[in-house]
Amino acid sequence: QNNPELEFYCLSDSVAGVTHLAEHFESMSLARPLNVLLEWGKAGWRSGVTTIEQARGVLNTVQKHRHHLRFCGFEGYEGLAGVAENAEAEIKSIRAYLEQFIAMTDAVADLTKDYHDPLIFSIGGSSYLDLVKESIHCLANRFQIVIRSGSYVAHDHGHYQEKQAEAQQRAK
C-alpha cells in the first residue's frame, strides 16, 4: 500500500483460500486489489487445483471479490511432474501435465474473456524446460508467458545439471 509501484502476485488453489484472502483484504483499506494467479497442480502434489471444476470454482470466487482480488492468470510447477519408474514414463507424465494445464486454460476461457490485460501463463521448475517450450509455444498469442526457475531455496545444481544433460540428449 505504501509503495504503489510494488507488484505482488499470490497463488490460489481453493475456494476457501480465495475466500480467506478476500475477507482479510475487505478489512483493510487497500488502494488496489491483490493480484491472484490460479495454480494448476496434479492429484497427490503439494498444491494446485487438479480439475476443471475446481479451477472454475476458484475463478468464480475471485470474480465475486473483484474489489479486493484481481485475477491475473495461471501458474504451474512442472518440476514435480517426474516419476521414478523410468525416463520414458517421466517424459510422458510431464507432457500429460503440461497438456492438462493448457487444456484447463481453454476450458475456463469463458470466465476470463472479460479481462483486457494479457493474462499471465507462468510455469516453473527448470527440470524440463525443453518440454515446457515445446508445449507452450501455442500460447504466446493468448498470454504473457513467464517461465520461472524452480530453484530458489536450495542449492540443487546437481539435479539441474542432470536434467539439462537429459534435455540435450532428447534434442539429438
Side-chain angles (χ1 to χ4, degrees):
Q1 171 133 358
N2 293 333
N3 184 351
E5 295 179 18
L6 175 67
E7 287 292 324
F8 180 83
Y9 296 80
C10 74
L11 308 180
S12 188
D13 64 358
S14 71
V15 169
V18 170
T19 301
H20 178 76
L21 279 172
E23 289 171 356
H24 178 73
F25 282 93
E26 277 180 33
S27 68
M28 302 174 73
S29 298
L30 297 179
R32 60 187 171 162
L34 175 68
N35 295 320
V36 176
L37 297 170
L38 173 67
E39 183 170 26
W40 180 250
K42 187 175 176 180
W45 288 6
R46 63 182 179 169
S47 60
V49 296
T50 59
T51 68
I52 291 168
E53 293 76 25
Q54 289 173 339
R56 292 181 79 76
V58 170
L59 285 171
N60 281 324
T61 306
V62 169
Q63 290 175 346
K64 286 179 189 173
H65 299 283
R66 283 186 176 207
H67 294 296
H68 306 292
L69 305 175
R70 178 177 169 249
F71 176 68
C72 293
F74 303 94
E75 182 276 341
Y77 174 69
E78 79 2 268
L80 293 176
V83 294
E85 297 171 30
N86 59 53
E88 187 176 317
E90 186 170 288
I91 300 305
K92 185 176 180 180
S93 174
I94 292 155
R95 284 192 171 123
Y97 169 75
L98 293 166
E99 288 171 13
Q100 292 162 358
F101 186 9
I102 293 167
M104 180 272 298
T105 68
D106 292 338
V108 299
D110 62 311
L111 295 177
T112 64
K113 68 180 186 287
D114 293 335
Y115 292 92
H116 301 291
D117 294 337
L119 293 175
I120 294 169
F121 182 96
S122 180
I123 187 83
S126 301
S127 295
Y128 311 97
L129 290 177
D130 59 324
L131 302 179
V132 167
K133 181 182 176 218
E134 171 187 300
S135 296
I136 66 170
H137 73 279
C138 62
L139 300 176
N141 62 339
R142 293 177 45 206
F143 296 101
Q144 176 185 347
I145 305 293
V146 178
I147 300 177
R148 306 174 328 276
S149 169
S151 175
Y152 68 101
V153 175
H155 185 64
D156 50 5
H157 68 283
H159 170 77
Y160 289 113
Q161 186 174 12
E162 178 183 312
K163 293 301 178 187
Q164 181 63 28
E166 290 172 10
Q168 289 172 336
Q169 285 297 318
R170 285 192 296 272
K172 290 182 180 180

